[in-house]
Amino acid sequence: MADIRWLWSRINANYWFYPALFSIVGAVLAFALIFADRAGAADLLNDSEWIVAARPEGASNMLTVIAGSMIGVASTVFSITIAAVAYASGTYGPRLLTNFMEDKGNQLSLATFIGTFVYAITVLRTVRKEDEATTAAGNAADALPGFVPQLSLLVAYLLMALSVAVLVYFLNHVPASIRINSVLKGIGNRLLRDIRDNYPEDGDGGELEPGPDGTPLPTESTGYVQLIDFAELEDVAKDADSTLALEVRTGDFVHPGMALVRVCEGIGDEDLEKRTRAAFTLGPSRTPTQDPQFLIDELVEIGLRALSPGINDPFTAITALHWLGAATAELGRRDLRRRCEDHLESERVYPLPDTFAHFLQRGFGGMRSAVATSPHAALVMLDTLRTAAAPVGDPARTGMLHAEGTRLMEQARIALGGPDLAEVEQRYAIFQQAFWR
């Protein structure tokens, strides 16, 4: 089941899925409208005064132009997309390649042009000139010499107009999507959405306890854990009357010999071991699915690249810090006990605990050393940690945020000096006062 769910999510995210789907829809629509034309559905169009019926040569030329232009535009759109993806992944980090390939705006734009091309070329093959035999004898096609599918031609014209609108949208969407603020907004919003989906309940301080001891069940494959089917693990544990404590989380890298879970009872049961391993989907790379840490790492990567000496762009790092702060505040007020699909805590499956300290270290802790070298970024990180603590009610978690700010100040005292350090010290005093209240 995990493999099927993963396959569907990957197919839906692949760049070819919507173009292939729209091609099929375009062909089916063309055949349906041609059938309607042959059945006399175009009588009303032929009798209308505001629609001039097309002649065979004009219809053929029009469909030829539409088909040729659509495949040309589709090629251009694909080239522009690849160029944009190469620029973004090279500038912001290779892990962002997944975000751009999953961009629905790019996928649907290409799909519209491909679908229109397939529709036009399918309708074109049915156009008959005056001296060509036609099978439309006895129906509305006799009103004109040869056969011209008037209704199909009208729809082709409307699809052409739609394609022009989509092209205008695409030409605006691509440069907007590779702007760093738009990239960070997309990552940040998806991170916040994933946090709410994975940890749906509010509850300051709620975290899983480590699972019970048991016999390790090693994996037999190599790769990143891309998906864990918790519902399947629950069924396996119930059927075997056992308890499973996970040793890995989504995004971890595993290889043969590493433990996937600890099995309290039933180890040695081949069916239990096979079904348990099948609940974990492994792949060659990490993905955002079921893995909020992946998105946190993307924000950290962008921030670290921006603060590197070769780029020296503290304002991009500041934007990344702002989104990290929003995500940290969201995590700080959430019950971090991961639920199964029915959102009920399992009594048989114990996920590897997701602690607030773990997420804090992954985010702000990962950027701390680089931020400490930039006075602008250091000031913002202190402010962001202070504001992230505001909605958090658990004293232990606010203490972790305070400790992170203290570690940043210790690092800044090593990296900075002179007026820059004095300014950061003043901001740190304000930071301290906010936690003493």
Side-chain angles (χ1 to χ4, degrees):
M1 181 61 70
D3 287 333
I4 294 175
R5 290 174 53 201
W6 174 249
L7 178 63
W8 169 247
S9 67
R10 288 298 90 199
I11 288 176
N12 189 50
N14 275 326
Y15 203 68
W16 55 263
F17 176 73
Y18 284 105
L21 179 62
F22 278 39
S23 297
I24 296 173
V25 171
V28 171
L29 178 63
F31 284 120
L33 291 176
I34 290 169
F35 177 81
D37 273 310
R38 291 191 180 280
D43 284 346
L44 182 62
L45 296 179
N46 291 333
D47 296 335
S48 176
E49 296 182 357
W50 59 277
I51 296 181
V52 179
R55 307 296 294 183
E57 184 175 358
S60 179
N61 290 338
M62 177 180 173
L63 291 170
T64 300
V65 169
I66 291 176
S69 60
M70 286 303 105
I71 198 65
V73 170
S75 301
T76 303
V77 164
F78 183 75
S79 300
I80 292 174
T81 301
I82 295 302
V85 166
Y87 167 81
S89 61
T91 304
Y92 309 136
R95 272 151 292 281
L96 289 174
L97 181 64
T98 302
N99 303 56
F100 286 97
M101 294 303 291
E102 291 182 357
D103 189 296
K104 291 298 183 288
N106 295 340
Q107 292 180 358
L108 293 175
S109 296
L110 180 62
T112 301
F113 303 132
I114 296 294
T116 302
F117 165 76
V118 172
Y119 175 86
I121 207 73
T122 304
V123 174
L124 177 61
R125 62 180 292 273
T126 66
V127 177
R128 297 290 184 268
K129 295 183 180 179
E130 294 86 339
D131 57 349
E132 292 181 308
T134 177
T135 59
N139 62 26
D142 289 334
L144 290 174
F147 175 65
V148 178
Q150 302 291 341
L151 180 60
S152 303
L153 195 63
L154 177 61
V155 173
Y157 186 84
L158 295 176
L159 288 176
M160 180 195 67
L162 174 63
S163 298
V164 171
V166 170
L167 178 61
V168 173
Y169 159 79
F170 175 80
L171 294 176
N172 174 74
H173 174 73
V174 169
S177 65
I178 62 176
R179 291 176 58 241
I180 186 59
N181 286 343
S182 299
V183 172
L184 289 168
K185 177 183 176 182
I187 298 172
N189 282 332
R190 184 169 184 176
L191 174 57
L192 293 172
R193 186 168 59 250
D194 284 1
I195 290 172
R196 298 183 186 110
D197 290 342
N198 285 294
Y199 313 107
E201 297 183 12
D202 290 341
D204 292 336
E207 295 179 356
L208 275 177
E209 296 294 330
D213 291 332
T215 305
L217 174 64
T219 181
E220 297 176 344
S221 304
T222 301
Y224 289 95
V225 178
Q226 296 179 325
L227 186 72
I228 301 174
D229 192 339
F230 290 101
E232 177 65 16
L233 290 175
E234 181 77 13
D235 292 339
V236 171
K238 286 182 179 179
D239 293 343
D241 193 23
S242 181
T243 301
L244 304 177
L246 274 67
E247 285 287 288
V248 296
R249 56 170 61 89
T250 310
D252 288 350
F253 186 82
V254 298
H255 54 76
M258 286 185 61
L260 285 176
V261 299
R262 297 192 306 275
V263 184
C264 295
E265 296 180 13
I267 194 67
D269 184 335
E270 292 185 3
D271 182 63
L272 178 146
E273 295 181 4
K274 181 179 179 181
R275 291 177 61 190
T276 299
R277 291 190 179 101
F280 293 82
T281 300
L282 305 183
S285 61
R286 295 173 62 191
T287 68
T289 304
Q290 211 183 63
D291 185 10
Q293 295 174 103
F294 178 81
L295 299 169
I296 292 175
D297 290 347
E298 285 188 334
L299 292 175
V300 171
E301 180 179 10
I302 292 174
L304 292 177
R305 279 175 172 258
L307 292 172
S308 64
I311 297 177
N312 192 23
D313 180 14
F315 297 101
T316 293
I318 286 171
T319 306
L321 286 170
H322 286 155
W323 284 106
L324 272 177
T328 302
E330 191 71 27
L331 286 164
R333 64 182 189 85
R334 292 279 169 178
D335 185 338
L336 298 182
R337 288 173 288 186
R338 189 183 289 271
R339 303 308 203 249
C340 293
E341 292 185 353
D342 57 1
H343 300 303
L344 295 175
E345 188 173 356
S346 172
E347 297 180 355
R348 294 185 177 273
V349 178
Y350 292 81
L352 196 63
D354 293 332
T355 64
F356 183 73
H358 169 79
F359 287 117
L360 183 61
Q361 175 60 31
R362 197 85 180 219
F364 286 110
M367 290 186 64
R368 185 194 317 123
S369 296
V371 169
T373 64
S374 169
H376 292 296
L379 294 173
V380 171
M381 181 166 167
L382 288 172
D383 289 341
T384 303
L385 289 168
R386 174 173 53 82
T387 55
V392 179
D394 179 41
R397 291 181 177 178
T398 55
M400 295 177 195
L401 291 167
H402 176 264
E404 185 60 39
T406 301
R407 285 191 287 268
L408 171 65
M409 192 63 241
E410 292 174 356
Q411 191 75 28
R413 287 170 181 150
I414 298 173
L416 300 177
D420 287 339
L421 178 60
E423 187 176 5
V424 175
E425 290 279 12
Q426 291 177 358
R427 189 65 55 87
Y428 178 64
I430 298 174
F431 172 84
Q432 293 277 62
Q433 291 175 0
F435 285 89
W436 289 339
R437 292 172 186 171

